Amino acid sequence: MTVRLRPHHLLCMLTFVGEGYSPAFVANYRRLAGRISAGEPIEIISGPDDICAPLLSDEAAHCFGASVADRDAAALADIARLLERELEAGAVIAPDAALFEKLRDAFSAGVTRRACAGCEWSSLCDGIAGEDYAGVLVMGFRPPETAKETSVRRPE
């Protein structure tokens, strides 16, 4: 089985801490976060995805909007450049800690943030990235320990 994600959700999942549009949306996202964290493959799709599912009964849901498609195009281009591979609908990505570290480093540096322009969640994501991704639910991130913190004195 795979988790189907639209391209900009590859960025959104980096900072997901359990907030969202509705309780059903958050519950669904938490389930997906668990599946991705367990290593379930991610299939990139065009249009509404597994994260969007609880919102799709509303014909006016933003998931169908042109601005969201523009976010997807920007995210797809930035992530493909970062990963140095061609990405398009149907591509499958294997999630692991190294991938998420690379994505989060780029997100923090602003390398993959074009899709975030004008997003209502941007300030929340900025704060989460600024706090070293504390509390994220998808592939939890731990910042590297400093040399001072990891130095161990061995008895002679």
Side-chain angles (χ1 to χ4, degrees):
M1 222 163 149
T2 61
V3 175
R4 300 170 334 112
L5 293 181
R6 62 187 321 152
H8 86 266
H9 282 161
L10 290 168
L11 301 176
C12 298
M13 69 181 177
L14 300 174
T15 59
F16 178 63
V17 293
E19 297 190 32
Y21 298 106
S22 69
F25 178 87
V26 171
N28 178 60
Y29 207 149
R30 282 180 179 275
R31 280 189 297 279
L32 296 171
R35 289 171 53 192
I36 293 167
S37 295
E40 191 166 322
I42 298 167
E43 178 185 357
I44 297 173
I45 68 165
S46 177
D49 63 6
D50 292 342
I51 290 175
C52 298
L55 305 174
L56 298 180
S57 62
D58 178 3
E59 290 179 14
H62 73 275
C63 304
F64 300 110
S67 65
V68 179
D70 291 343
R71 286 187 203 288
D72 286 338
L76 190 64
D78 288 347
I79 294 168
R81 191 174 315 106
L82 176 70
L83 299 181
E84 299 176 334
R85 68 178 272 201
E86 190 172 317
L87 290 177
E88 59 187 21
V92 176
I93 297 173
D96 62 22
L99 171 67
F100 276 76
E101 183 174 353
K102 185 173 194 165
L103 288 170
R104 287 192 173 110
D105 286 348
F107 189 86
S108 293
V111 173
T112 56
R113 297 291 304 266
R114 287 186 311 138
C116 305
C119 176
E120 67 185 285
W121 298 97
S122 192
S123 62
L124 174 69
C125 297
D126 290 344
I128 293 165
E131 294 292 324
D132 290 324
Y133 300 92
V136 296
L137 299 178
V138 179
M139 290 267 180
F141 176 74
R142 294 178 192 199
E145 298 178 79
T146 64
K148 187 176 192 178
E149 293 170 336
T150 59
S151 63
V152 175
R153 206 169 217 177
R154 296 182 191 264
E156 297 180 2

